[in-house]
Amino acid sequence: MKNICVIGLGYIGLPTACMLASNGYNVLGIDINEEIVTKLNSGKVHIEEPELEEVFLNVSRNGKLRVSQNLEKSDIFIISVPTPLNEENKADLSYIINAAAKVKDYIDKGNLIILESTSPPSTTRKVIGSMILKSTGLKAGEDYYLAFCPERVLPGKIIYELINNDRIIGGINKKSAEKAKEIYSSFVKGRILLTDLETAEFTKLAENTYRDVNIAFSNELALICNDYNINVWDVIKLANKHPRVNILSPGPGVGGHCIPIDPWFILNNVSRGNTLIEKCRDINNSLPNIISKKIMEIVKDKKDPKVTLFGASYKENIGDTRESPTKVIYKNLAKEKVNISVYDPLSANFEYPLSSSLKDSLKGSDLLVLLVGHKIFKEVNLKHVSTLMRTKNIFDTRNFFKKEEAIRYGFKYYII
Ligand code: SAJ
């Protein structure tokens, strides 16, 4: 088993294809998006991720990784396509269905199919397994191998975590899980833990839901602390000194393409109302609106207020703006006719205009709102900032700046 097709060359598929191609496999990367395929074939990577371009160029130059829009016969098919959320908060499995529909035309006895896309429990068995059986008569676990192997990597550290994180593999039977393990062992230095399909699917969702629930708890603490006039950051710092307490950080909302989505997938096939998971989603979703209201309160007396938003991405030190809280806050402020400038040197693709310089973004501003804690913002000189702004207000949603320093330069300092 030396030939692998990786279907879907996004944030996970492309780095995975690169790792396999660097470790002895002949890999064909497939994407339906012609633009992505053309870009990759011209030697350019469409994803900003440390180390990725270098690894990609190595394996594409030595021919171990080819990129195309068309599938070919292969020993192994890895499906790594998006699973977006639809308007009813259910998983949209159409990309997985389309990928499986392609695989069915190329699969042979003895092949292995691995699903990597985060999916509601039973997707691998009921969507892929059933489809292949219906269209080819091949039975998963008997005629071919079928496994689910979720990715667990953090954007910004994808290559490092692909190699070093522990990995879970669920198989339709033990043999399928072992076959998949053989493939990942070529580059994974962490442990590879084997289980069944549904346990692996559910575990992936449980991990991201745990994070969402923990962040919702910290956001709720922040809102309650506000009523008591207590600094939530001090509370969390002190509470986390307890050996069995680890509260995450509040913030302007939970963005990205995983944490706000996966909790819904856990609930996808069950009819339970009033769950903790939904409540936590609601809390985290409410944060950008709460932050927007607070911003309006701070600038409400200003004529033609200008607000500067620091950070467009969904989290620190990356340029990825998918589901970023900044978008919601921008939209809310635009409705209130506020002049908004967004400054984020890391994010090139944002759906609203970005300021070209720190100076432009702050000139005449009435409020600087720190939404994303990029390391580069640590270099911002608050004294200089104070000379550019019309009114010296800082709203720090990430406990990022030094409050005493800001106050020393005449700022009124608001925290979450
Ligand atoms: N956030 C907070 N407070 C925190 C931590 C995060 O408000 O204390 C916010 C961030 O600002 C961001 C959002 O949560 O808007 C999500 O960021 P994140 O760093 O928690 O997660 P992702 O989406 O970048 O990556 C997660 C990771 N999952 C876990 O840590 C359990 C990653 O390992 C997964 O592979 C990834 O989801 C995925 O693809 O599923």
Side-chain angles (χ1 to χ4, degrees):
M1 282 196 156
K2 275 290 171 196
N3 298 315
I4 303 186
C5 267
V6 177
I7 304 167
L9 297 177
Y11 280 80
I12 303 303
L14 182 61
T16 304
C18 289
M19 294 321 295
L20 292 163
S22 311
N23 287 281
Y25 289 96
N26 303 312
V27 183
L28 174 65
I30 305 290
D31 206 287
I32 50 168
N33 185 323
E34 191 183 345
E35 221 174 286
I36 291 178
V37 170
T38 310
K39 195 163 184 189
L40 290 169
N41 278 329
S42 70
K44 286 187 195 94
V45 165
H46 61 291
I47 293 163
E48 267 186 50
E49 184 60 38
E51 295 176 60
L52 181 60
E53 185 146 286
E54 198 187 324
V55 189
F56 171 75
L57 287 177
N58 270 338
V59 288
S60 63
R61 279 185 191 136
N62 69 17
K64 294 304 274 182
L65 174 61
R66 292 177 299 128
V67 174
S68 165
Q69 277 185 282
N70 304 311
L71 207 59
E72 290 172 10
K73 290 240 175 219
S74 183
D75 303 314
I76 301 146
F77 299 92
I78 298 183
I79 299 176
S80 181
V81 293
T83 38
L85 199 63
N86 70 19
E87 280 173 6
E88 282 94 50
N89 287 332
K90 299 274 181 196
D92 169 0
L93 299 178
S94 56
Y95 293 93
I96 294 183
I97 292 168
N98 290 341
K102 280 189 190 139
V103 172
K104 78 173 175 13
D105 295 333
Y106 293 89
I107 188 170
D108 279 330
K109 275 195 168 186
N111 286 172
L112 163 66
I113 302 180
I114 300 171
L115 178 65
E116 281 216 13
S117 315
T118 305
S119 310
S122 82
T123 302
T124 317
R125 187 187 302 271
K126 292 200 177 146
V127 176
I128 298 181
S130 303
M131 196 164 173
I132 301 288
L133 178 66
K134 214 168 144 198
S135 49
T136 65
L138 295 176
K139 233 176 154 188
E142 287 178 24
D143 301 315
Y144 72 99
Y145 305 103
L146 180 62
F148 177 75
C149 181
E151 57 81 16
R152 305 165 110 182
V153 293
L154 204 64
K157 283 177 80 181
I158 290 181
I159 298 288
Y160 175 84
E161 292 208 350
L162 269 179
I163 297 171
N164 292 292
N165 285 4
D166 288 350
R167 205 79 206 218
I168 304 166
I169 296 179
I172 197 152
N173 54 8
K174 199 165 167 225
K175 190 83 189 150
S176 293
E178 278 164 357
K179 283 278 175 193
K181 180 176 178 178
E182 218 176 285
I183 318 302
Y184 290 97
S185 305
S186 68
F187 67 88
V188 171
K189 290 191 183 147
R191 287 166 299 177
I192 299 183
L193 311 158
L194 305 190
T195 180
D196 59 74
L197 285 178
E198 285 74 15
T199 305
E201 290 167 331
F202 199 91
T203 304
K204 163 71 196 183
L205 301 176
E207 291 165 6
N208 279 353
T209 303
Y210 161 77
R211 200 157 167 84
D212 197 46
V213 169
N214 193 334
I215 298 169
F217 176 64
S218 71
N219 278 328
E220 182 150 289
L221 288 184
L223 299 176
I224 297 170
C225 277
N226 201 38
D227 294 341
Y228 282 109
N229 205 14
I230 293 170
N231 184 321
V232 70
W233 300 96
D234 291 344
V235 170
I236 292 175
K237 193 165 135 203
L238 293 169
N240 283 351
K241 299 285 183 215
H242 186 292
R244 284 174 295 283
V245 174
N246 183 20
I247 306 169
L248 289 172
S249 305
V254 169
H257 39 102
C258 306
I259 308 273
I261 292 165
D262 296 358
W264 293 114
F265 286 7
I266 279 207
L267 302 169
N268 204 71
N269 308 331
V270 292
S271 50
R272 280 178 168 275
N274 204 23
T275 59
L276 170 73
I277 294 172
E278 283 169 276
K279 287 226 153 59
C280 291
R281 275 287 68 240
D282 286 347
I283 292 172
N284 287 337
N285 264 346
S286 70
L287 257 297
N289 294 334
I290 292 172
I291 298 288
S292 308
K293 271 195 198 127
K294 178 83 187 167
I295 291 172
M296 287 316 298
E297 255 171 49
I298 299 171
V299 298
K300 68 175 185 291
D301 296 331
K302 291 284 155 201
K303 189 169 176 283
D304 267 343
K306 173 173 172 179
V307 172
T308 307
L309 306 178
F310 266 24
S313 61
Y314 83 87
K315 68 173 192 177
E316 69 282 1
N317 306 324
I318 61 171
D320 189 338
T321 60
R322 286 176 293 172
E323 314 293 327
S324 115
T326 307
K327 279 186 202 172
V328 183
I329 294 168
Y330 189 104
K331 237 187 270 168
N332 289 340
L333 297 182
K335 267 190 222 142
E336 301 284 345
K337 308 259 180 299
V338 168
N339 300 307
I340 315 156
S341 64
V342 184
Y343 180 60
D344 191 334
L346 297 188
S347 303
N349 301 315
F350 191 51
E351 63 192 70
Y352 301 112
L354 288 166
S355 277
S356 54
S357 72
L358 178 85
K359 194 173 163 195
D360 279 353
S361 74
L362 288 163
K363 216 167 162 196
S365 181
D366 296 298
L367 173 63
L368 160 58
V369 188
L370 188 288
L371 293 172
V372 184
H374 290 322
K375 256 189 225 144
I376 43 164
F377 291 150
K378 286 276 180 209
E379 286 153 27
V380 169
N381 180 329
L382 290 183
K383 188 174 176 191
H384 176 57
V385 170
S386 73
T387 63
L388 297 169
M389 293 178 69
R390 176 168 75 169
T391 324
K392 296 181 201 173
N393 284 316
I394 291 179
F395 181 13
D396 184 352
T397 68
R398 302 272 186 183
N399 197 29
F400 185 80
F401 292 120
K402 290 197 177 80
K403 184 179 169 185
E404 298 69 32
E405 191 188 347
I407 288 171
R408 197 168 351 117
Y409 294 127
F411 284 97
K412 205 156 179 210
Y413 197 76
Y414 302 86
I415 59 163
I416 197 161

